[in-house]
Amino acid sequence: MHPDDKPWWKRATGYQIYPRSFNDSNGDGIGDLPGIIEKLDHLQALGIGFVWLSPVYASPMADNGYDIADYDAIAPEFGTMDDMQRLVDEAKVRGIRIVMDLVVNHTSSEHAWFQAACASRDAHEHEYYYWRDAAPDGGPPSDRRAVFGGSAWHWVEAVGRYYFAYFSSGQPDLNWQNRQVRRNVFAMMNRWLDRGIGGFRMDVIDLIGKDLDNGVLEQGPDLHPYLQEMHREALAGRDILTVGESWSVTPDTALQYCGRERYELDMVFNFNHVVAGWDPEFGRFKPKPLDLPLFKRILGEWQTALAEDGWNSLFLSNHDLPRAVSRYGDPDRHRVASAKMLATVIHLMKGTPYIYQGEEIGMTNANFTRLEQFRDVETFGQLEDQRAAGVSEADFIAGANRTGRDNARTPMQWSDEPSAGFTRGTPWIDVNDNAVHLNVEADRADPDGVFGHYRRLIALRRQLPIITEGGYRSFDDANPCVFGYVRTLGDQRLVVVGNFTGERASIGVPAEGWGEGRCVIRNGPERTTIDSPLSLAPYESFAVLITGVDG
Ligand code: ISL
Ligand code: CA
């Protein structure tokens, strides 16, 4: 251990739990908090330092909890406030902190504030949301579309106005310009932090400073003043982790969120590498094949931008994205090798890595065949839009199977028992057929399993300061098949290489080369020297630590 190692999240690896799909303790088909507690030993064995827990608050579940009806209550299907406290305490015993999801760009339409806001224009809560009069023709005030399809404006007869909801109609946006909104949110955050949680992951936080009348939603003029106010009122002086989700942040604006003199957030989730793989017109539902040089360049730009200040978060998947091995690897012919290669390349960069549940065993996309199998509100919103654009149902299903959000939400595959050991009942969403052979029990029993590889990477991050502190330099950037970079710290070099293809491929190594070293992780043959050109087996990856390098 490094006693002077502050903050703790620089050496820790995170693990995201999507509670609905993690583990069901009572047979109702829905994952829950007692179910998570049952599996804490699995997470401890993996070695993670904290959990990012997707929302468990009271909610009508229009968007699986990203629509919160009461920030101070737990959804009954997930458990009770006592279960939540038990989770925090039981995790702490195992050295794991619980980071809660904070969804404050919007509430649920069933939140008491919104109910009051809809009842009368005179209610002070009316001002907590964005209301506009109808256009002269009675239609919505603008043609702004919602993320989940349809207009972003919704009529409420009782007050004779439209409200703004950027996601679904059940997720009205909070008006952060209202001081009482901010006070209420900060007070709520303090209550949660006082219960001993490890911090917050902040949902679509780049939207809270919006200037609706000028059509500015992301990174609006008030965003950073509000984050600084939040820091003063709720975060300052606490030993916690804060990570903001931002679909608009780029390397140019990153330090505005997480620069050390800013007093805002510790780090952000950026999606530059994700969006680069989408169709410019049809977005996520029409992904492009991976452009490795572009992918490398984007990740490298982030490494460089936050080399001296700020901090990166490192991830390939979450509950909104396809499974990493399906998107970037080969889930059929090279599932295990490609899952390990992707982990190696991501986890040995500078930043805090996040593992999405199931990634640690290389879980794959869903492969649904019928529309009735899908559950996601975004998928059904897209379906309407795409039907209108003439896309066939078969094409739509193919697209949703590649990039839809349900891919990440099929139940966690624990064993080869019925429903993958996730539930004794009927799961709320179908289990992937491959659970009979792809499950935690089987993978952990295999000395060459994916889990063991992740466990080694997580341990290495705690052991080697070069991973947390070292510089970053990529090589052979134009190589379309292989990712290679070197981390540097004092007289040490950590050379990391990964083949992103199912064929043999080679990479050019800088002329000065490196001497002999020690292989610290690999999914192929033992390697101690890095000769040029370096030839790799399909999806081979490894890292070699070299010491005593001068210059
Ligand atoms: O991928 C997306 C853009 O096409 C969206 O689905 C994206 O997930 C969304 O813009 C931001 O996500 C976050 O906020 C949403 C919630 O549905 C997501 O699960 C959450 O991660 C609204 O709260
Ligand atoms: Ca349950």
Side-chain angles (χ1 to χ4, degrees), residues 394-452:
D395 284 353
F396 180 78
I397 290 178
N401 274 333
R402 289 178 70 192
T403 46
R405 305 198 301 179
D406 282 330
N407 286 311
R409 302 177 181 185
T410 63
M412 183 72 185
Q413 294 164 202
W414 295 106
S415 69
D416 63 2
E417 285 160 53
S419 296
F422 161 74
T423 180
R424 291 179 261 114
T426 307
W428 71 277
I429 185 171
D430 284 348
V431 173
N432 196 311
D433 296 334
N434 62 18
V436 283
H437 65 268
L438 197 182
N439 57 65
V440 168
E441 217 174 82
D443 186 85
R444 285 189 58 174
D446 180 353
D448 291 324
V450 180
F451 182 90

Side-chain angles (χ1 to χ4, degrees), residues 316-358:
L316 290 179
S317 53
N318 67 25
H319 66 297
D320 294 331
L321 301 175
R323 292 282 175 179
V325 71
S326 298
R327 176 70 182 106
Y328 303 98
D330 180 343
D332 304 316
R333 292 189 310 135
H334 300 284
R335 188 183 64 81
V336 169
S338 62
K340 290 179 182 177
M341 182 281 292
L342 293 166
T344 304
V345 166
I346 291 298
H347 280 243
L348 296 181
M349 289 187 184
K350 185 170 182 174
T352 298
Y354 290 77
I355 299 167
Y356 180 67
Q357 66 184 38

Side-chain angles (χ1 to χ4, degrees), residues 232-294:
R232 285 195 305 275
E233 300 298 326
L235 310 175
R238 294 185 186 265
D239 183 24
I240 56 171
L241 173 160
T242 54
V243 50
E245 183 200 27
S246 174
W247 284 76
S248 57
V249 66
T250 61
D252 295 334
T253 53
L255 287 173
Q256 292 174 20
Y257 297 77
C258 64
R260 85 174 61 79
E261 306 279 85
R262 297 282 296 183
Y263 300 102
E264 296 188 20
L265 303 177
D266 296 324
M267 60 188 118
V268 285
F269 285 128
N270 89 80
F271 297 86
N272 299 175
H273 59 302
V274 173
V275 174
W278 292 357
D279 184 90
E281 195 184 339
F282 295 100
R284 63 180 304 150
F285 280 77
K286 210 173 165 212
K288 299 186 281 190
L290 179 67
D291 176 346
L292 188 66
L294 176 64

Side-chain angles (χ1 to χ4, degrees), residues 105-133:
N105 172 68
H106 43 267
T107 66
S108 161
S109 53
E110 292 186 15
H111 195 289
W113 299 339
F114 191 71
Q115 297 289 306
C118 288
S120 159
R121 288 193 189 200
D122 300 327
H124 69 272
E125 290 92 345
H126 190 73
E127 304 302 325
Y128 287 11
Y129 297 88
Y130 293 101
W131 298 94
R132 295 290 183 273
D133 293 333

Side-chain angles (χ1 to χ4, degrees), residues 215-245:
V216 181
L217 286 179
E218 300 176 319
Q219 300 190 137
D222 294 327
L223 170 61
H224 295 289
Y226 291 160
L227 285 177
Q228 285 165 10
E229 185 181 343
M230 178 191 283
H231 191 279
R232 285 195 305 275
E233 300 298 326
L235 310 175
R238 294 185 186 265
D239 183 24
I240 56 171
L241 173 160
T242 54
V243 50
E245 183 200 27

